[in-house]
Amino acid sequence: MTNPPGNSLPGELRPGDVRHPGRVFDYYASLAHAVEKARFDVLFAADGLTSDTELGTKPEPITLFSALAAVTQNIGLVPTVSTTFTEPFNLARQLQSLDHLSGGRVGWNAVTSAAGERNFGDTPLPAHEDRYRQGLEHVSVVSALWDSWSDDGSTASIDHRGEFYSVEGPLPLPRSRQGRPVLFQAGSSSDGTTFAAQFAEGVYTAQQTLRGAQSFYRELKAKTAAAGRDPRNILVLPGVSTTIGGTEEEALRIDDELFDAGFTPASLTALQGQLAGVDLSGLGLDDRIPQAMLPPVESVQGRQSRYGVFRELAVDEGLTVRELVKVQQRSAGHGRAVGSPEQVADRLVRWFEERGADGYIVMPGQGAGGVEAFTEHVVPILQKRGVFRTDYESDTLRGNLGLPSARSHESAPPHSAASSSVYSAPGKGSSS
């Protein structure tokens, strides 16, 4: 699976930036065609409600993927949409409609929001735990609406009265070819993994080390089993940012040049954002951050999982401010694969074989050329090793991910509230 590339220089407009008049669709269509030609599972789009140094400016995801559905045939399409700022009925209808229009190729990356409240009336955001509780009810209602049609075309009424939502159904359209969209989740905090274990079929996570990835993998699979689900039906998909050169030396040189050209005061501000707003102005770039300056992960009300990654790098690994800025600037906390095509392929295969990943969300670095570097030089190596497909196995996203078809007799995911109601990874079930 792939997330669109980054690592642009400061002030440089990315080809897909909405400030490029007339270039937005052409850029994303070209990217979709490139990864579809390489037989990736999914084109995955992160999202933010405001301009962001990590995400850049981007079109609204459902609108974008509606357009891309018309010019692609096999690639899965997974928009990110927040449960914090949407209503279940409208979203269920939009995504099910898109699943029909694409022939069963759609997923939903269900996330909660740690920012954006000023765009929706300035009501304070709920606490971290409450956002996930609301999100779980939201997903359960959306799933119930998707399942309000049986495979034989009959419908069932929905009368949901919960803690956060009151929703009637059914939806005004039947089930899609794959039953319903594939459910993804992004996040690695304790609340996030509990949230994902209830419903997610793919989890986008930030992991810096193989040991950390293996620990997360075991924890998520165990929580999924404890929730009464088959852990084989939830795919662990760490994000990985790549910089590829003809040799390791060339790749490292490209990586250093990107960092040196891109470092600005905004780079330090972005790092402070990942560290829960901790003021680093009293520290030099080569200083380490004292542990006393960094609050416990559980006390952070923003992006706990990403804060946890950077806190671990600062406290346990002893990275300096400069080194932490490099991590933020190069991958926003996700893992890195820098080297020759063979070395990048080795890194992906190792994590897969040693149970640190079922697949990957690949975020090619070095600008737009990173996509071609990965698809033209790394993918053939993975195919030659027999760990990556040479053609699509199915005409639906579920089929290509190796997930079971969603049938109407399957129940919606449970939730705790009182209520009436990927450039991809090596491996057949989790290809790019």
Side-chain angles (χ1 to χ4, degrees), residues 263 265-295 307 310-311 314 319-326 328:
F263 182 80
S267 304
L268 190 60
T269 301
L271 173 61
Q272 291 180 158
Q274 298 285 25
L275 289 171
V278 169
D279 184 4
L280 303 177
S281 60
L283 300 176
L285 287 178
D286 295 315
D287 290 338
R288 291 182 171 84
I289 304 174
Q291 182 173 347
M293 291 180 61
L294 300 172
Y307 170 72
F310 280 89
R311 189 183 191 280
L319 267 60
T320 65
V321 172
R322 184 190 305 276
E323 290 167 331
L324 290 167
V325 169
K326 286 185 177 182
Q328 159 57 28

Side-chain angles (χ1 to χ4, degrees), residues 248-259:
E248 180 179 17
E249 292 73 20
E250 181 184 2
L252 291 171
R253 176 181 56 78
I254 293 171
D255 214 42
D256 287 339
E257 288 175 354
L258 284 167
F259 172 75

Side-chain angles (χ1 to χ4, degrees), residues 1 41 201-203 205 213 217 220-221 231-238 348 351-353 355-361 387 401 422 424-432:
M1 304 178 185
D41 287 324
E201 296 164 288
V203 175
T205 175
Y217 189 100
L220 181 60
K221 298 283 185 173
R232 293 174 297 180
N233 292 336
I234 185 168
L235 304 176
V236 179
L237 307 168
L348 298 179
W351 280 40
F352 172 67
E353 291 181 340
R355 295 184 179 273
D358 293 314
Y360 300 95
I361 304 293
V387 295
L401 289 173
V422 198
S424 168
K428 176 180 179 181
S430 48
S431 42
S432 305

Side-chain angles (χ1 to χ4, degrees), residues 98-273:
L98 183 54
D99 208 25
H100 278 282
L101 294 172
S102 68
R105 294 186 286 127
V106 168
W108 168 31
N109 182 34
V111 300
T112 64
S113 290
E117 67 274 19
R118 294 185 181 180
N119 303 103
F120 293 87
D122 214 21
T123 301
L125 283 172
H128 188 273
E129 180 181 352
D130 295 337
R131 292 200 302 272
Y132 275 107
R133 197 170 73 255
Q134 177 185 359
L136 194 53
E137 184 178 339
H138 189 295
V139 173
S140 73
V141 176
V142 168
S143 297
L145 289 166
W146 285 340
D147 289 340
S148 62
W149 284 71
S150 298
D151 296 322
D152 63 7
S154 61
T155 62
S157 62
I158 302 295
D159 184 18
H160 174 90
R161 298 291 181 267
E163 180 181 0
F164 299 97
Y165 303 104
S166 294
V167 181
E168 292 186 357
L171 284 181
L173 75 168
R175 299 172 68 79
S176 67
R177 291 180 62 187
Q178 65 173 352
R180 62 185 185 186
V182 178
L183 285 163
F184 291 81
Q185 186 264 351
S188 309
S189 68
S190 177
D191 288 334
T193 53
T194 300
F195 179 54
Q198 302 296 314
F199 71 86
E201 296 164 288
V203 175
Y204 180 20
T205 175
Q207 302 294 331
Q208 283 283 326
T209 66
L210 174 58
R211 185 172 66 176
Q214 290 169 327
S215 176
F216 177 83
Y217 189 100
R218 290 192 299 267
E219 177 188 0
L220 181 60
K221 298 283 185 173
K223 282 189 174 183
T224 302
R229 300 177 55 212
D230 187 340
R232 293 174 297 180
N233 292 336
I234 185 168
L235 304 176
V236 179
L237 307 168
V240 56
S241 176
T242 61
T243 301
I244 301 164
T247 63
E248 180 179 17
E249 292 73 20
E250 181 184 2
L252 291 171
R253 176 181 56 78
I254 293 171
D255 214 42
D256 287 339
E257 288 175 354
L258 284 167
F259 172 75
D260 292 339
F263 182 80
T264 70
S267 304
L268 190 60
T269 301
L271 173 61
Q272 291 180 158

Side-chain angles (χ1 to χ4, degrees), residues 387-398:
V387 295
F388 192 76
R389 67 160 64 90
T390 57
D391 204 355
Y392 288 104
E393 300 88 4
S394 174
D395 57 2
T396 69
L397 177 55
R398 287 185 176 278

